[in-house]
Amino acid sequence: MTAADFNRTMLALFGSLVFVGLIMEYTSFVFAPQVLKVPGYALPGSAEAPASAPAPAAPKEVPLPELLAKADAKKGAADAKVCATCHSFEKGGPAKVGPDLWGVVGRPVASAAGFSYSDAVKGLGGDWTFDKLNGWIANPKAVASGTKMAFAGEKDPQKRADILAYLQSLSDQPVPFPK
Ligand code: HEC
């Protein structure tokens, strides 16, 4: 081995060491373990939750009357376009895939003339209150598994309130919102 060979070898060795060192430095930066200030999870309302790392507030459920108070029937009419593929909204409107929804608020469940309801919906009983309609629009299958209403559900509570405000308007004697 000549001196030049030796130098080259050493240089290569040194170079690789630096390279490996850099990689280790980089990975420890990328995969840096997160050190918790407080062991465990900060629960909402727990006194010792550090102020610097507040737990993300669980989406608070706003009561329906509050949502209805700021509901917009015009927006609801637009949001109810998806319903219109299956429902008519006019007084004396025809049954389509689903029953006519004129005056549905306060109407006995499964009572539209000329529509053949599923046993699941027929078995619900009672009248369509705002509360029941809210649950229904959110997830029909959860209310009546086996329903014929093939609608996944509107997950946005304010949009549901808007739709309810629109449904309320479809009546000669609109049912007032619950307090
Ligand atoms: C894909 C078609 C379809 C869509 C979309 C749909 N529905 Fe329905 N809906 C139905 C059918 C079918 C029924 C009857 C359910 C049964 O008998 O099981 C029904 C039933 C209902 C009922 C019960 C009515 C009664 O007389 O008891 C209400 C209220 C209702 N739908 C509201 C809505 C609203 C509001 C929307 C939009 C957010 C909507 N539906 C979207 C098909 C649909």
Side-chain angles (χ1 to χ4, degrees), residues 57-85:
K60 192 161 65 92
E61 217 161 289
V62 182
L64 184 60
E66 244 174 77
L67 293 170
L68 288 173
K70 52 182 175 168
D72 182 340
K74 277 214 192 77
K75 277 193 201 154
D79 289 334
K81 289 266 189 318
V82 293
C83 323
T85 46

Side-chain angles (χ1 to χ4, degrees), residues 30-164:
V30 169
F31 301 107
Q34 238 188 329
V35 181
L36 295 174
K37 286 207 184 92
V38 179
Y41 299 99
L43 294 173
S46 75
E48 61 284 18
S52 56
K60 192 161 65 92
E61 217 161 289
V62 182
L64 184 60
E66 244 174 77
L67 293 170
L68 288 173
K70 52 182 175 168
D72 182 340
K74 277 214 192 77
K75 277 193 201 154
D79 289 334
K81 289 266 189 318
V82 293
C83 323
T85 46
C86 298
H87 291 284
S88 56
F89 294 111
E90 318 86 61
K91 191 174 189 173
K96 291 160 81 179
V97 179
D100 179 38
L101 291 183
W102 171 268
V104 73
V105 182
R107 185 168 90 185
V109 172
S111 66
F115 185 78
S116 169
Y117 291 90
S118 67
D119 289 339
V121 167
K122 274 194 269 184
L124 286 178
D127 297 344
W128 281 118
T129 61
F130 285 105
D131 211 39
K132 273 196 208 166
L133 284 167
N134 185 40
W136 177 253
I137 298 169
N139 190 349
K141 294 222 157 41
V143 175
S145 74
T147 176
K148 292 196 284 182
M149 175 153 144
F151 177 67
E154 173 55 64
K155 299 298 171 235
D156 182 334
Q158 191 58 58
K159 276 197 183 164
R160 287 201 304 272
D162 291 345
I163 292 173
L164 292 177

